Amino acid sequence: MTASARLLIVGPQGSGKGTQGVRIAESFGIPVVSTGDIFRANIKAGTELGQKVTAILEAGDLVPDELTSEIVRDRLSQEDAAHGFLLDGYPRNTTQVTHLDAFLGGRDEALDAVILLDVPREESLTRLKLRATEQGRSDDTDEAIAHRLDIYEHETAPILEVYGARGIVDRIDGVGSLDEITERIFAALDARGLRVAV
Ligand code: AMP
């Protein structure tokens, strides 16, 4: 059974948003739309897009807004996203919020909730360095990690003010066990009337 929900999960790299996003999306029967995953898949497959963004991801910089928004519009236009989706990693700055608003507005849609996974910078750093050792991700150098956390603080955190003013942000304590955090997210969504249909 599919429940309609248009969700965004936000948090610093290393907050666990990827893992939590998959869990939430599976429960709601909606696709995860992760721009980071899309870029990495294209790099791996050696597509034109992949070649264009390789150096940007390695440096921990942001891919240009227009290009990123175009990719998201294409993805959200696919059939499986018609009744909902969970965005992970997009929008990443206020310009991208404007792009997403324009796209969703054109479909008479809007985000239902923004899940903010709140994790202190020190904790994110520790987790990212561990992941770098375990998975050997090429964009997980110390320098790139610190740079991405800076970008998060300066460019991504401001989007929470925009969504906060709309009253759709749920701030979730992102420190705890995976299951505890999933439960916190479900409780917050439930309080908004966003329930998994059974
Ligand atoms: P993530 O897996 O979300 O941490 O994304 C990995 C990398 O992909 C980021 O460091 C950026 O280089 C790029 N990226 C992902 N999402 C976006 C976005 N919305 N805008 C620009 N660049 C992005």
Side-chain angles (χ1 to χ4, degrees):
M1 186 83 194
T2 304
S4 161
R6 295 183 178 86
L7 308 173
L8 161 63
I9 191 160
V10 186
Q13 286 77 17
S15 62
K17 69 187 164 63
T19 309
Q20 295 296 338
V22 168
R23 287 183 168 202
I24 305 303
E26 273 178 3
S27 304
F28 278 87
I30 53 177
V32 173
V33 175
S34 157
T35 39
D37 282 353
I38 293 172
F39 291 136
R40 279 186 291 275
N42 275 275
I43 290 172
K44 208 168 164 201
T47 65
E48 200 180 316
L49 170 66
Q51 287 169 21
K52 221 184 254 181
V53 302
T54 301
I56 299 176
L57 263 80
E58 278 184 5
D61 285 325
L62 292 188
V63 174
D65 294 328
E66 196 41 66
L67 176 60
T68 307
S69 293
E70 182 63 37
I71 288 162
V72 172
R73 285 192 289 268
D74 279 356
R75 179 64 189 88
L76 293 183
S77 300
Q78 288 171 27
E79 184 64 36
D80 64 340
H83 301 291
F85 48 78
L86 181 138
L87 286 166
D88 169 3
Y90 178 94
R92 204 118 161 171
N93 58 28
T94 51
T95 304
Q96 295 181 8
V97 171
T98 310
H99 292 168
L100 181 65
D101 279 348
F103 175 74
L104 292 180
R107 307 205 306 190
D108 257 342
E109 294 173 4
L111 291 180
D112 296 309
V114 176
I115 302 155
L116 164 62
L117 268 192
D118 208 7
V119 174
R121 185 180 170 111
E122 277 313 306
E123 173 83 15
S124 297
L125 264 174
T126 310
R127 291 187 195 175
L128 284 171
K129 286 182 179 166
L130 190 71
R131 184 176 79 180
T133 319
E134 283 171 2
Q135 300 179 3
R137 264 177 54 161
S138 63
D139 61 347
D140 272 351
T141 61
D142 280 5
E143 212 183 356
I145 288 170
H147 185 50
R148 280 185 287 151
L149 287 176
D150 285 343
I151 290 185
Y152 177 79
E153 283 161 17
H154 294 124
E155 297 205 34
T156 307
I159 77 171
L160 295 165
E161 279 165 41
V162 179
Y163 289 127
R166 298 181 194 174
I168 57 170
V169 176
D170 287 317
R171 183 180 291 265
I172 307 291
D173 178 4
V175 181
S177 75
L178 279 182
D179 287 346
E180 273 164 6
I181 297 165
T182 306
E183 281 309 310
R184 288 175 199 153
I185 296 172
F186 277 131
L189 295 178
D190 193 74
R192 291 185 180 277
L194 296 167
R195 295 193 181 96
V196 181
V198 280

